Amino acid sequence: MGIQRPKGTQDLLPGTVEQWQYLEETIRSVCREFGYDEIRTPMFEATELFQRGVGQTTDIVQKEMYTFLDKGDRSMTLRPEMTASVCRAYVEDKLFGQPQPVKLYYMGPMFRYERPQSGRFRQFHQFGVEVLGAEQPLVDAEVISLVWNLFQRLGLSGLEVHVNSVGCPICRAKHREQLQEFLATRRNELCKDCQDRYERNPLRILDCKNPSCQTLTAGAPTTKDTLCEECSTHFERVLALLGVAGVAYRVNPRLVRGLDYYTKTAFEVMVEEIGAQSAICGGGRYDKLVEEIGGSPTPGIGFAMGIERVLTALQVQNKLPEEKPRLFAMLIALGEKAQNEGFALLSALRTQGISVSMDLQGRNLKAQLKAANRQGAHYALILGEEELEKNVILIRDLTLGEQSEIPLVDAVEEINKNYQRGV
Ligand code: HAM
């Protein structure tokens, strides 16, 4: 085998791409209904953006970034996520000058140097939304209900929406202190990563997947125990609104998320059936992030979901639409003269928006009919020497096996009529 694709990446081939397009189209229509506009930002950014935005103590910045020096000796990083990029664009492109809040969505590839396994890639794709410039709990509820609405639309079931509040820097500092105090005597029994986290970012210890760390932290103080009045009122209001919107959520006081920028609301959506990597969506509020990267204080909230994981859930739950026949008709031209005539007809039909293909290798009738069936064509349009002499074309319905002859001059109109009828 020659050159292979990099580990943790995928080729998306025809057959699979249609599933992606279906998901992408559903996402776009839900975003339109909720009044979100699309944003596209560069796939690489100055490394500093993620160091400051995502946070120095996170796994992403410490271990997972694709960072390189460009030819001008600038440190660049392939984006591991897009929230920091959207906040940068909000400041740089002066989106704060537009009516607030600014409601944006995006889809695209992200890059993290993680250990590849089922559901975990080095190039993966996210759909995400970010709302900037509003701090009201209504925004939190709208964002979470957008996720809920999308999953309902896709027909997914068995989803668990976990919600928590990680508080503001003031209540978080209190929690950090209490947590360190609780863990002080057990510190040496924690896994190596959590021992490092003890000073750097003790909150993340609550999120460790290691069973012995989970046992050691059972009964540890959670963020909920230390919320200040403002954060607590905000959280209660979000929960009440989620109830109104019909979102089936569960408060999970141990949910902390792996990125540093979160304040107040944090949430995740899991589906058991897709394996170890069961989180298909994660997000939360980040009221300090815009400031952190150099803008004026601006509240924000959003989420991102892993497209690959949503597709796996759709596959497992058998919720992907049946593949539609891709081709309306296959034009079968036999001989050079018929090819000339057929080529013109092909172009006229395509101008009408009809999907039609033609054999490009001069194969015989049998081989071309076989190809037409394989491509799921409804009709074969057959043009041989005999037909040319009579100035007709043969239209064969490949499903019913019926065929009729029509004058060549009427071909476009007649075929278009069939097309408009739906078959
Ligand atoms: P995140 O939790 O790091 O959050 O990623 C969000 C989702 O992306 C995950 O729930 C998962 O479905 C998917 N994902 C992450 N890493 C991988 C991977 N290596 N392979 C496959 N899928 C993956 C963020 O990225 C935040 N920017 C979300 C956010 C937006 N928070 C506020 N606004």
Side-chain angles (χ1 to χ4, degrees), residues 73-240:
D73 265 348
R74 287 169 286 254
S75 178
M76 294 289 163
T77 293
L78 297 184
R79 62 182 186 201
E81 60 107 54
M82 234 177 100
T83 311
S85 305
V86 172
C87 290
R88 187 219 16 88
Y90 179 85
V91 177
E92 188 171 348
D93 302 317
K94 301 188 177 49
L95 300 183
F96 47 79
Q98 297 182 0
Q100 303 293 294
V102 176
K103 306 201 312 183
L104 301 166
Y105 82 92
Y106 51 83
M107 279 190 262
M110 310 292 153
F111 307 87
R112 296 186 194 174
Y113 192 81
E114 293 194 83
R115 200 165 43 78
Q117 60 180 73
S118 152
R120 199 203 275 155
F121 302 93
R122 290 186 172 164
Q123 175 176 330
F124 60 100
H125 298 75
Q126 284 186 340
F127 151 57
V129 317
E130 311 294 348
V131 182
L132 287 147
E135 59 188 356
Q136 290 76 4
L138 250 180
V139 189
D140 308 39
E142 176 178 276
V143 163
I144 299 173
S145 72
L146 189 153
V147 178
W148 184 252
N149 195 296
L150 173 66
F151 287 149
Q152 299 278 315
R153 186 84 54 100
L154 292 168
L156 284 178
S157 54
L159 300 168
E160 283 186 18
V161 182
H162 292 214
V163 195
N164 191 23
S165 174
V166 295
C168 61
I170 299 166
C171 36
R172 225 181 14 241
K174 212 157 95 195
H175 178 246
R176 183 189 164 100
E177 218 174 87
Q178 288 189 4
L179 193 59
Q180 281 178 325
E181 211 172 286
F182 177 88
L183 291 171
T185 53
R186 309 157 219 238
R187 191 173 168 180
N188 296 334
E189 296 163 61
L190 293 167
C191 74
K192 169 90 188 48
D193 280 347
C194 284
Q195 291 190 17
D196 289 347
R197 288 177 184 139
Y198 183 85
E199 288 300 340
R200 274 198 289 120
N201 194 351
L203 198 70
R204 292 279 292 140
I205 301 176
L206 292 179
D207 195 36
C208 182
K209 302 288 174 282
N210 188 313
S212 79
C213 292
Q214 287 183 350
T215 315
L216 286 167
T217 55
T222 62
T223 47
K224 203 161 173 277
D225 302 326
T226 48
L227 287 188
C228 66
E229 201 182 326
E230 191 201 316
C231 290
S232 175
T233 313
H234 184 99
F235 191 43
E236 291 307 321
R237 182 80 186 119
V238 173
L239 297 184

Side-chain angles (χ1 to χ4, degrees), residues 227-421:
L227 287 188
C228 66
E229 201 182 326
E230 191 201 316
C231 290
S232 175
T233 313
H234 184 99
F235 191 43
E236 291 307 321
R237 182 80 186 119
V238 173
L239 297 184
L241 287 164
L242 288 180
V244 172
V247 178
Y249 66 88
R250 191 164 114 193
V251 175
N252 176 358
R254 292 175 69 94
L255 176 73
V256 292
R257 307 272 303 127
L259 299 94
D260 274 358
Y261 48 60
Y262 292 110
T263 52
K264 295 184 177 162
T265 312
F267 66 96
E268 251 170 34
V269 183
M270 336 271 188
V271 208
E272 280 298 319
E273 295 153 297
I274 63 170
Q277 303 302 316
S278 60
I280 50 176
C281 172
R285 186 164 271 291
Y286 45 85
D287 291 346
K288 305 286 169 206
L289 178 54
V290 175
E291 224 174 316
E292 189 61 53
I293 60 163
S296 314
T298 309
I301 177 164
F303 68 79
M305 65 177 67
I307 298 273
E308 288 84 354
R309 293 188 191 173
V310 177
L311 282 167
T312 304
L314 288 168
Q315 264 150 17
V316 172
Q317 296 190 12
N318 216 358
K319 290 290 191 263
L320 284 166
E322 295 279 309
E323 219 182 292
K324 287 194 201 98
R326 278 165 292 180
L327 204 60
F328 182 71
M330 177 70 99
L331 199 139
I332 298 178
L334 304 162
E336 196 175 302
K337 252 174 91 187
Q339 269 183 352
N340 289 348
E341 198 65 50
F343 207 50
L345 179 60
L346 195 72
S347 165
L349 289 170
R350 285 172 173 167
T351 310
Q352 304 281 323
I354 302 172
S355 65
V356 47
S357 220
M358 177 176 170
D359 175 75
L360 303 172
Q361 292 162 293
R363 285 180 292 193
N364 66 25
L365 177 65
K366 201 169 151 211
Q368 292 200 43
L369 276 171
K370 210 166 139 194
N373 278 313
R374 213 178 24 231
Q375 294 197 36
H378 283 294
Y379 292 98
L381 313 173
I382 305 168
L383 202 55
E385 270 172 31
E386 206 178 303
E387 284 77 24
L388 269 188
E389 259 168 41
K390 291 201 283 180
N391 267 322
V392 295
I393 185 163
L394 214 59
I395 302 192
R396 184 182 297 182
D397 185 322
L398 291 172
T399 327
L400 303 175
E402 294 165 356
Q403 64 180 35
S404 58
E405 252 181 30
I406 52 167
L408 207 44
V409 283
D410 299 335
V412 175
E413 198 183 324
E414 282 300 313
I415 294 163
N416 201 3
K417 261 194 227 156
N418 281 0
Y419 181 71
Q420 298 302 337
R421 272 206 307 270

Side-chain angles (χ1 to χ4, degrees), residues 5-40:
R5 59 173 184 268
K7 223 170 142 184
T9 66
Q10 296 187 96
D11 295 317
L12 301 175
L13 303 178
T16 301
V17 170
E18 288 75 6
Q19 301 176 348
W20 282 65
Q21 288 169 342
Y22 160 72
L23 179 56
E24 286 161 3
E25 279 157 23
T26 312
I27 286 171
R28 284 185 196 288
S29 59
V30 170
C31 285
R32 248 191 318 272
E33 287 156 25
F34 274 74
Y36 286 67
D37 294 318
E38 184 174 358
I39 182 167
R40 301 185 188 193

